[in-house]
Amino acid sequence: MNLRRQLLRSFVLQGAGSACILLATLILGAQMGPEVQGGFSRTKAEVEFVAALAMFGLPQSLFFHVKSGRMSDAAALRWTVVSGLVAVVIGTALGLERAGAALALVLGLAVAACAMHGQLRSLVLVRERTEWFNVVTALPQLFVLLAVLAVVAGVVRDPQPPTIWWRVYAGAFALAATLAWAKLRTSVGGADVATPADRVAVLRYGLATWLAAALPTAAVLFAQRWVEDVDGAAALGRFTLALTLVQVPLTPVAYAAPLLFRRWMERPGGGASRRWAARLSLLLFGCAMLVWLAAPLWPDLGLGSAYDGATRALAVLLGGGAAEAAARIMAAQTTASGRPWIGVRAEVARWGVLGLAWLSPLPGDTLVVCAVWAVAAASAALVFALSTAVPAGVRR
């Protein structure tokens, strides 16, 4: 199937899944108040964060090794089960802080189901059509919406304790993971990864992709703390709002990344990724310029005087978002070519800029932090651009 058509279907199906979560959040907030909605959202963040720790970058690593024929489907499924067992332990330990052992195990199962779903959907992308990957990706979000509607309708009682949301997420991810498992059990192919050296290769690849995903998340937390320290809580609100809006044009890139990963494993070479990255970066940079020009007329994004200055912050962060989009596109190519550590180097460059700026005597101003953030994103993109220029077959 044409790549553009695959991407369009991914945007539609996975976008529908994201819309389900947004709708569930809005329904809970409107019908049951901020306390219930807050518990729902916090549980989602907890489950996904702990699952990401337990997965240790394995979705990308297993995809690479199975797609390249270095690992059999059966071996990949065994890795998935082991990761799920680790996730049960971590999630249950977290749950013991707020509930008894039996209920804490429910959180452990939710984390395990989320971790296994994350890995199984990657393997589905290897063996099945992209439609199956999109369906498996979006299904948990649809199941969560249905469960929320059941809670609001009174079919499920007493939504205040967090344990009900543990059950919701455990059931949603388990159902989707079961469907993916059933599809993959019919697949065969690849060599079994059994030697210690091969296992180290899988873990090393996973560590690189895990770090490349964890470091930018930590950078967001660092920037938020920096803004709050230098400009106060109100400035933090303006900064986080602008940063959230920047994620809107980056969301389609996240949807496209797995498909591009598969595409560039089948058709190696960095030229295509650089062209895609350049076009998208120019488009977003043009949007950033337009937002900057509109700032004098619309300084508060239409949200009132408390958000005065948010438009300029959004414009500067969009400039960084242009570089971020380019970096994510090129990251798909470097991981597809078996060079996941390029992503770690890019994040080291990002953190180098952030650290030097934080230590320097820069003015204590939110817009300055936004500018530093944009430059840091550009430095990460530059590392990828230089790395994708390396001829095919050369490894760094």
Side-chain angles (χ1 to χ4, degrees), residues 335-385:
T335 51
S337 65
R339 298 182 292 164
W341 286 97
I342 299 297
V344 180
R345 296 181 199 174
E347 293 310 317
V348 169
R350 184 200 302 272
W351 272 95
V353 171
L354 290 173
L356 288 174
W358 183 68
L359 293 172
S360 66
L362 289 173
D365 180 78
T366 301
L367 206 58
V368 171
V369 179
C370 292
V372 170
W373 177 264
V375 173
S379 68
L382 180 60
V383 172
F384 279 115

Side-chain angles (χ1 to χ4, degrees), residues 1-10 129-131 134 259 262-263 266-267:
M1 185 187 296
N2 181 277
L3 178 60
R4 288 185 175 85
R5 188 176 300 173
Q6 291 180 7
L7 292 174
L8 178 59
R9 291 185 178 182
S10 294
R129 293 181 303 170
T130 55
E131 287 85 350
N134 294 324
L259 300 183
R262 185 174 76 169
R263 173 82 165 194
E266 297 168 348
R267 302 182 184 182

Side-chain angles (χ1 to χ4, degrees), residues 180-199:
W181 183 280
K183 291 295 295 182
L184 290 168
R185 291 294 294 174
T186 63
S187 301
V188 294
D192 205 349
V193 173
T195 69
D198 289 332
R199 293 192 185 100

Side-chain angles (χ1 to χ4, degrees), residues 56-58 60-62 64-65 68 70-71 79 193-209 338-341:
F56 198 68
L58 282 176
Q60 296 90 340
S61 184
L62 295 180
F64 176 80
H65 285 87
S68 62
R70 306 177 191 186
M71 176 188 285
W79 278 87
V193 173
T195 69
D198 289 332
R199 293 192 185 100
V200 169
V202 172
L203 291 173
R204 186 174 182 273
Y205 192 106
L207 173 61
T209 55
R339 298 182 292 164
W341 286 97

Side-chain angles (χ1 to χ4, degrees), residues 50-92:
V50 179
L53 291 178
M55 282 189 286
F56 198 68
L58 282 176
Q60 296 90 340
S61 184
L62 295 180
F63 181 98
F64 176 80
H65 285 87
V66 173
K67 182 68 175 176
S68 62
R70 306 177 191 186
M71 176 188 285
S72 68
D73 300 88
L77 292 176
R78 287 197 295 273
W79 278 87
T80 299
V81 171
V82 171
S83 175
L85 293 175
V86 172
V88 168
V89 175
I90 298 174
T92 302

Side-chain angles (χ1 to χ4, degrees), residues 47-371:
V47 169
E48 292 179 345
F49 176 74
V50 179
L53 291 178
M55 282 189 286
F56 198 68
L58 282 176
Q60 296 90 340
S61 184
L62 295 180
F63 181 98
F64 176 80
H65 285 87
V66 173
K67 182 68 175 176
S68 62
R70 306 177 191 186
M71 176 188 285
S72 68
D73 300 88
L77 292 176
R78 287 197 295 273
W79 278 87
T80 299
V81 171
V82 171
S83 175
L85 293 175
V86 172
V88 168
V89 175
I90 298 174
T92 302
L94 179 65
L96 286 172
E97 298 178 359
R98 284 174 287 172
L103 290 176
L105 180 60
V106 176
L107 180 57
L109 293 174
V111 171
C114 183
M116 294 182 69
H117 170 263
Q119 293 166 79
L120 290 170
R121 78 185 190 99
S122 294
L123 297 175
V124 165
L125 186 58
V126 178
R127 297 300 184 201
E128 303 293 337
R129 293 181 303 170
T130 55
E131 287 85 350
W132 275 108
F133 169 75
N134 294 324
V135 168
V136 169
T137 299
L139 267 183
Q141 298 158 320
L142 173 61
F143 292 147
V144 168
L145 174 60
L146 295 176
V148 166
L149 292 175
V151 169
V152 171
V155 176
V156 179
R157 301 285 182 178
D158 193 19
Q160 187 62 40
T163 53
I164 191 169
W165 304 126
W166 298 354
R167 295 188 182 98
V168 165
Y169 286 110
F173 282 113
L175 286 171
T178 300
L179 173 63
W181 183 280
K183 291 295 295 182
L184 290 168
R185 291 294 294 174
T186 63
S187 301
V188 294
D192 205 349
V193 173
T195 69
D198 289 332
R199 293 192 185 100
V200 169
V202 172
L203 291 173
R204 186 174 182 273
Y205 192 106
L207 173 61
T209 55
W210 181 78
L211 287 172
L215 288 174
T217 301
V220 170
L221 298 176
F222 175 81
Q224 290 175 348
R225 181 64 180 269
W226 188 3
V227 168
E228 186 174 23
D229 287 345
V230 301
D231 230 1
L236 175 62
R238 293 189 290 270
F239 177 79
T240 53
L241 174 65
L243 201 57
T244 299
L245 292 175
V246 170
Q247 300 309 306
V248 173
L250 294 179
T251 298
V253 181
Y255 292 164
L259 300 183
L260 295 176
F261 188 4
R262 185 174 76 169
R263 173 82 165 194
W264 288 326
M265 281 199 70
E266 297 168 348
R267 302 182 184 182
S273 68
R274 290 196 301 275
R275 288 192 296 272
W276 278 65
R279 292 167 187 166
L280 185 57
S281 182
L282 287 173
L283 177 62
L284 290 182
F285 190 77
C287 293
M289 295 299 296
L290 291 175
V291 172
W292 181 268
L293 293 173
L297 302 175
W298 201 34
D300 58 3
L301 294 173
L303 296 174
S305 59
Y307 283 89
D308 191 36
T311 306
R312 288 197 184 278
L314 174 60
V316 176
L317 289 173
L318 266 176
E324 188 70 29
R328 293 185 185 186
I329 293 290
M330 290 183 286
Q333 192 276 327
T334 56
T335 51
S337 65
R339 298 182 292 164
W341 286 97
I342 299 297
V344 180
R345 296 181 199 174
E347 293 310 317
V348 169
R350 184 200 302 272
W351 272 95
V353 171
L354 290 173
L356 288 174
W358 183 68
L359 293 172
S360 66
L362 289 173
D365 180 78
T366 301
L367 206 58
V368 171
V369 179
C370 292

